Amino acid sequence: MTPTTETTVGIGGAAESTDMVLNIGPQHPSTHGVLRLRLVLDGERIQHAEPVIGYMHRGAEKLFEARDYRQIVMLANRHDWLSAFSNELGVVLAVERMLGMEVPPRAVWTRTLLAELNRVLNHLMFLGSYPLELGGITPVFYAFREREVLQNVMEEVSGGRMHYMFNRVGGLKEDLPAGWAARARGAVAAVRSRMDVFDDLVLGNEIFRGRTRDVGTLTPSAVHAYGVSGPIARAAGVDFDLRRDEPYLAYGELADTLKVVTRSEGDCLARFECLLDQTHNALDLADACLDRLAELPPGPINQRLPKVLKAPEGHTYAWTENPLGINGYYLVSKGEKTPYRLKLRSASYNNIQVLTELLPGTLVADMVAILGSMFFVVGDIDK
């Protein structure tokens, strides 16, 4: 009988039970800016996820304290670079509330119009970039085409393509250019006529639906626990929108046009559908504002301010329904020309924290689908 030899090959200590730590970022093509995700994996499944933020921190809240009330608008403009007009709006609303200032009707309706056009610009970016992150390159070209149409009218009225700097305490920088309303109406109609690209090309794509349906399901309890807001919260069945529930600007008079879009599924597909339907409604709101502006008699677009603007001593809180969710502005004044404190509650900051609960239990392959459907801007986190 031939003797046999038995050989044991070592494969490392407890290799099968060792967790793997994977860093996604801090610079990665699946994120909007510079975010790092620290994942703990068990094979292909995520066990633990930690968003690591702070790579873009610019200290805006501290800089607010060294700028006067006209200058802080510029700082607040930039944290969510896709929602510049809406960012400005919350600051001036807070200062006007401190001053007890009444804004002229033309300014109120024009602000509402521009806020909704800015909402469409924001949403179009995500409607195009989300399919791109899942491998579909075509929609982003259509999204940028529609964005250019709207950016042209926004640039004409304000002089800026991304950072408009058109809001002022007491109203707006100046009145609308002659003939601008007609050009804006044409731009809204042009974008609306081509929105079927996203309705059919993206939502009608079975691969897109397969990658997003029942993936990354967010529950209403998690929404409330983490302070998630905007389309992400409404896609999970949380029916809350400040424009309807605590109206500001002219939204109280737009109740017949304003539709708060909700879904109950809470998955990636529901978040995309909410964003798309909200874009359609923002175009309808823009048309309603243009109709009302055409009916208003000529009048001022802003209030005259003293050379040195000082808010009275006290504090106030203003919040707005920004494109990505709720933005809050807590303003404290000591009666000087600069804020004593201006605390910014940005939508993206809260929305991204829920990833610690949303990602565990999912596959690595689904991580990009979930991350892209959270619709955040990193500058809005690292403010």
Side-chain angles (χ1 to χ4, degrees):
M1 185 173 179
T2 306
T4 59
T5 304
E6 186 175 309
T7 304
T8 302
V9 179
I11 58 172
E16 293 184 0
S17 63
T18 302
D19 293 331
M20 176 183 178
V21 177
L22 179 65
N23 283 290
I24 305 294
Q27 297 191 33
H28 191 272
S30 73
T31 65
H32 306 278
V34 190
L35 174 75
R36 174 181 158 216
L37 283 178
R38 184 181 182 275
L39 306 179
V40 178
L41 306 180
D42 179 10
E44 287 292 313
R45 201 164 292 277
I46 298 171
Q47 283 191 323
H48 177 75
E50 178 190 359
V52 183
I53 65 174
Y55 291 95
M56 291 183 62
H57 183 55
R58 291 168 289 180
E61 292 182 355
K62 192 64 181 175
L63 291 172
F64 287 150
E65 300 169 16
R67 306 291 191 277
D68 67 33
Y69 287 105
R70 293 179 175 90
Q71 294 169 326
I72 61 174
V73 177
M74 180 274 295
L75 290 169
N77 171 292
R78 285 160 165 74
H79 54 88
D80 174 0
W81 45 75
L82 298 177
S83 311
F85 185 86
S86 301
N87 299 340
E88 304 167 11
L89 195 56
V91 173
V92 296
L93 288 175
V95 178
E96 288 162 3
R97 184 172 295 177
M98 287 285 286
L99 295 168
M101 181 179 289
E102 191 78 20
V103 178
R106 282 188 65 79
V108 172
W109 282 96
T110 306
R111 280 177 172 179
T112 311
L113 165 63
L114 296 176
E116 290 306 311
L117 292 179
N118 196 192
R119 192 181 307 277
V120 178
L121 280 169
N122 175 291
H123 291 355
L124 281 171
M125 177 62 78
F126 291 105
L127 292 174
S129 68
Y130 186 40
L132 178 64
E133 290 164 6
L134 297 179
I137 193 172
T138 307
V140 74
F141 296 119
Y142 290 107
F144 271 88
R145 179 186 66 180
E146 312 315 332
R147 277 175 55 84
E148 284 298 313
V149 173
L150 292 176
Q151 278 190 306
N152 286 338
V153 295
M154 293 292 281
E155 183 180 10
E156 181 186 357
V157 75
S158 67
R161 283 185 63 78
M162 280 188 69
H163 303 297
Y164 306 110
M165 282 305 300
F166 198 54
N167 275 291
R168 296 292 186 272
V169 176
L172 295 168
K173 176 186 173 186
E174 56 197 11
D175 210 341
L176 304 175
W180 181 86
R183 291 187 287 277
R185 195 182 291 276
V188 170
V191 172
R192 182 187 285 110
S193 69
R194 297 195 288 253
M195 285 300 292
D196 61 340
V197 166
F198 304 100
D199 293 318
D200 301 333
L201 183 65
V202 181
L203 282 182
N205 186 294
E206 62 183 57
I207 298 175
F208 178 83
R209 299 183 75 88
R211 289 290 307 275
T212 56
R213 188 192 288 113
D214 298 327
V215 174
T217 302
L218 187 63
T219 62
S221 60
V223 167
H224 293 304
Y226 286 87
V228 176
S229 59
I232 300 172
R234 290 190 283 274
V238 178
D239 188 6
F240 181 72
D241 190 312
L242 283 174
R243 296 174 297 170
R244 178 199 63 193
D245 300 324
E246 288 197 24
Y248 59 99
L249 294 181
Y251 289 114
E253 299 180 49
L254 292 169
D256 293 337
T257 308
L258 175 63
K259 293 182 176 62
V260 179
V261 182
T262 61
R263 293 287 188 278
S264 58
E265 295 84 359
D267 57 10
C268 295
L269 181 60
R271 290 190 279 273
F272 185 86
E273 288 176 342
C274 270
L275 202 74
L276 180 56
D277 288 350
Q278 191 167 287
T279 308
H280 284 290
N281 187 237
L283 292 169
D284 295 338
L285 289 168
D287 269 340
C289 291
L290 286 165
D291 291 340
R292 184 58 188 270
L293 278 170
E295 299 169 358
L296 288 177
I301 200 76
N302 51 37
Q303 295 276 24
R304 294 196 63 174
L305 300 176
K307 187 173 182 180
V308 177
L309 180 63
K310 294 183 179 181
E313 188 169 348
H315 59 93
T316 191
Y317 185 77
W319 55 350
T320 60
E321 187 70 43
N322 261 43
L324 297 180
I326 293 173
N327 270 24
Y329 304 83
Y330 180 57
L331 174 62
V332 181
S333 172
K334 294 290 187 180
E336 302 296 332
K337 66 177 183 179
T338 61
Y340 177 76
R341 183 81 168 91
L342 178 55
K343 169 64 179 174
L344 170 61
R345 186 261 193 223
S346 60
S348 298
Y349 182 83
N350 285 73
N351 290 354
I352 205 66
Q353 303 306 311
V354 79
L355 287 173
T356 59
E357 186 163 323
L358 197 56
L359 287 177
T362 63
L363 296 172
V364 175
D366 290 330
M367 181 206 60
V368 174
I370 297 170
L371 193 61
S373 73
M374 297 308 288
F375 311 131
F376 62 89
V377 170
V378 176
D380 205 34
I381 303 169
D382 295 340
K383 56 194 181 298

